[in-house]
């Protein structure tokens, strides 16, 4: 199983830590948005897209990456993010926009992972930031379990496709 992860992480490298944990389990290649992966997208069995949450959304570069993806038929994808605050529908909704874009391109979304990340944005800076030390070991254990589920799911489905 060949996996590719595209990750944007610019605030404190929080999401990068999650990407590396997931990437290790999946033996995935990790690139930044705009970086050319070593193979064509069509050659990967699984695509992961992750970023910090900025203004309640994935980073614009991730949206651009999805925009540049080819149309596919049911290729598997997952998304992941880190954020200062919890997910709250609409106000701090996270994955919504990006999931819609992936579906439009023909991807099947098989999972979503999110955890908190150290946040010193704006007024939080005045108090030394929030969620210090996160993602922590427990968060990364969660990311590892998530990656194992993604791997199983992708492996099982590709096996079923091979065996009529
Ligand atoms: C410009 C900016 C906007 C942010 N907006 C949000 C937000 O809307 N909701 C939230 O929960 N966290 C927000 N955060 C906090 C980040 O999501 C959090 O620190 C995340 O872990 C950063 O990931 P990174 O280190 O991978 O860039 C914001 C941070 C920055 C710098």
């Amino acid at each position: 199983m060949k996996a590719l992860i595209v990750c944007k992480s610019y605030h404190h490298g929080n999401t990068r830590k999650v990407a590396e944990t997931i990437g290790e389990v999946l033996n995935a290649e990790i690139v930044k948005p705009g970086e050319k992966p070593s193979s064509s997208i069509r050659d990967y069995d699984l695509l992961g897209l992750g970023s910090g949450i900025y203004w309640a959304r994935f980073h614009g570069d991730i949206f651009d990456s999805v925009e540049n993806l080819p149309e596919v038929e049911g290729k598997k994808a997952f998304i992941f993010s880190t954020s200062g605050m919890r997910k709250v529908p609409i106000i701090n909704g996270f994955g919504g926009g990006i999931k819609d874009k992936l579906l439009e391109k023909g991807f099947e979304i098989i999972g979503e992972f999110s955890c908190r990340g150290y946040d010193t944005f704006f007024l939080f800076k005045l108090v030394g930031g929030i969620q210090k030390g996160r993602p922590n070991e427990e968060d990364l254990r969660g990311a590892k379990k998530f990656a194992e589920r993604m791997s199983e799911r992708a492996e099982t489905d590709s096996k079923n496709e091979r065996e009529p």
Side-chain angles (χ1 to χ4, degrees), residues 9-15 52-56 82-85 92 117-119 121:
S9 174
Y10 81 86
H11 190 34
H12 289 289
N14 300 329
T15 320
I53 296 300
Y54 317 101
W55 307 110
T82 66
S83 61
M85 288 171 287
N92 211 24
Y118 181 43
D119 181 6
F121 178 55

Side-chain angles (χ1 to χ4, degrees), residues 5 22 32 67 74 86 103 115 124 135 142 163-164:
I5 292 177
I22 294 175
K32 292 176 187 155
E67 206 57 59
R86 285 190 165 278
L103 291 172
C115 69
F124 292 137
E163 289 171 13

Side-chain angles (χ1 to χ4, degrees), residues 1-2 26 45-46 76 108 110 147-164:
M1 201 257 304
K2 200 170 155 74
L26 298 175
D45 305 299
L46 183 60
K76 288 170 188 58
E108 180 195 349
I110 61 168
E148 285 162 0
R149 283 201 302 279
M150 294 302 96
S151 170
E152 270 166 35
R153 182 82 197 269
E155 295 278 11
T156 313
D157 287 0
S158 58
K159 192 163 167 259
N160 287 345
E161 277 156 23
R162 282 197 303 272
E163 289 171 13

Side-chain angles (χ1 to χ4, degrees), residues 12-27:
H12 289 289
N14 300 329
T15 320
R16 180 79 197 180
K17 289 181 192 157
V18 173
E20 278 166 9
T21 303
I22 294 175
E24 209 175 297
V25 175
L26 298 175
N27 200 16

Side-chain angles (χ1 to χ4, degrees), residues 14 23 36 50 54 72 94 100 107 144 159 164:
N14 300 329
K36 211 171 146 41
Y54 317 101
V72 295
F94 304 178
D100 292 345
F107 284 84
K144 191 169 173 232
K159 192 163 167 259

Side-chain angles (χ1 to χ4, degrees), residues 108-147:
E108 180 195 349
I109 298 160
I110 61 168
E112 175 174 0
F113 176 83
S114 79
C115 69
R116 303 297 72 77
Y118 181 43
D119 181 6
T120 53
F121 178 55
F122 194 47
L123 294 177
F124 292 137
K125 199 173 183 172
L126 303 176
V127 293
I130 57 168
Q131 312 294 0
K132 232 177 213 167
R134 297 189 73 181
N136 56 23
E137 275 181 28
E138 197 184 335
D139 294 321
L140 296 180
R141 266 200 300 277
K144 191 169 173 232
K145 280 199 183 136
F146 169 78

